[in-house]
């Protein structure tokens, strides 16, 4: 279960990242200067979507007020106050991201924000495909190594069996040549 305070903290972190990006748009000369800020934005946005656990922060005033109004616990992730506060924060963050997209398009040209999103999606797909390929290659190498060792052990056992048989034949011939002859 994800702590509601963690979700709110994640959304607050995302909102702060959007504000930093928005401020950087006005001061940067080209889009590449925004790179690290946008990277943080996307990372925090993914964390907020996945409701990953982030560092615990105190309960927000909005959550406290909504929980008080609905007579529910601030710690219960299923309480109406907590859910309402989370949704309101998500809406605020989405509006801030939209405002950032408009700001980037106004500064660098229409469609730049969509181009950034498209390129990010393409790179994520490429990374996932290369990870999948690497995983399948590792499994294939592991299987080939197992087969090689199995073949090696089979051949080694065949050689040992042959040497043992030759040794027994040699011992038999030695014994036959040194044994007293019966007439």
């Amino acid at each position: 279960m994800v702590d509601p305070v963690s979700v709110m903290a994640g959304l607050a972190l995302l909102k702060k990242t959007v504000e930093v990006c928005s401020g950087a748009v006005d001061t940067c000369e080209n889009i590449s200067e925004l790179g690290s800020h946008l990277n943080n934005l996307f990372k925090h946005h993914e964390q907020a979507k996945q409701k990953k656990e982030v560092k615990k922060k105190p309960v927000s005033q909005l959550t406290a007020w909504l929980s008080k109004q609905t007579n529910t616990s601030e710690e219960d992730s299923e309480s109406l106050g907590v859910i309402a506060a989370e949704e309101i924060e998500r809406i605020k963050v989405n509006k801030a991201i939209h405002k950032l997209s408009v700001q980037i398009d106004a500064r660098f040209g229409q469609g730049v924000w969509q181009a950034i999103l498209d390129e990010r999606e393409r790179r994520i797909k490429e990374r996932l495909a290369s990870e999948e390929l690497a995983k399948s290659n590792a499994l294939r190498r592991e299987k080939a190594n197992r087969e090689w060792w199995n073949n090696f052990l089979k051949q080694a056992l065949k050689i040992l069996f042959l040497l043992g048989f030759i040794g027994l034949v040699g011992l038999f011939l030695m014994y036959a040549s040194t044994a007293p002859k019966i007439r």
Side-chain angles (χ1 to χ4, degrees):
M1 183 168 120
V2 178
D3 182 22
V5 176
S6 299
V7 173
M8 293 299 288
L11 289 171
L13 182 61
L14 178 58
K15 190 174 180 184
K16 183 66 177 169
T17 305
V18 171
E19 290 170 7
V20 168
C21 284
S22 185
V25 168
D26 294 331
T27 60
C28 70
E29 290 298 317
N30 58 39
I31 199 72
S32 63
E33 292 179 19
L34 276 176
S36 65
H37 298 298
L38 290 175
N39 189 33
N40 286 335
L41 169 70
F42 292 131
K43 182 179 83 175
H44 295 145
H45 194 254
E46 286 300 315
Q47 286 176 348
K49 274 186 188 174
Q50 296 172 359
K51 295 184 179 181
K52 279 189 175 178
E53 191 116 357
V54 293
K55 191 167 63 172
K56 218 173 186 181
K57 289 189 176 182
V59 176
S60 71
Q61 292 177 345
L62 178 62
T63 304
W65 182 78
L66 287 169
S67 293
K68 184 178 177 186
Q69 295 299 318
T70 57
N71 292 325
T72 55
S73 171
E74 297 169 355
E75 300 297 320
D76 183 13
S77 66
E78 297 172 358
S79 75
L80 186 60
V82 170
I83 293 171
E86 286 176 12
E87 286 306 310
I88 290 170
E89 282 301 312
R90 276 194 186 89
I91 290 169
K92 285 180 180 179
V93 166
N94 288 336
K95 282 184 178 181
I97 290 173
H98 177 70
K99 183 179 174 184
L100 175 65
S101 71
V102 169
Q103 190 178 5
I104 287 175
D105 281 348
R107 174 93 160 95
F108 298 104
Q110 191 64 27
V112 171
W113 179 253
Q114 189 59 47
I116 291 169
L117 295 178
D118 293 343
E119 180 63 19
R120 180 175 182 270
E121 188 67 28
R122 185 188 66 77
R123 289 183 185 186
I124 288 172
K125 285 180 183 176
E126 283 179 0
R127 180 183 49 84
L128 292 176
S130 67
E131 286 174 359
E132 187 64 33
L133 180 63
K135 187 188 248 184
S136 68
N137 286 341
L139 290 174
R140 193 172 30 252
R141 269 193 310 274
E142 184 180 321
K143 183 180 177 185
N145 284 341
R146 258 196 320 268
E147 288 175 3
W148 187 88
W149 279 106
N150 285 339
N151 287 336
F152 175 79
L153 290 175
K154 285 178 186 176
Q155 298 304 321
L157 287 174
K158 285 180 186 177
I159 291 171
L160 285 175
F161 180 74
L162 184 62
L163 289 175
F165 182 74
I166 291 172
L168 285 175
V169 168
L171 283 175
F172 177 74
L173 289 176
M174 252 182 34
Y175 172 74
S177 67
T178 58
K181 295 184 182 183
I182 302 177
R183 289 194 191 195

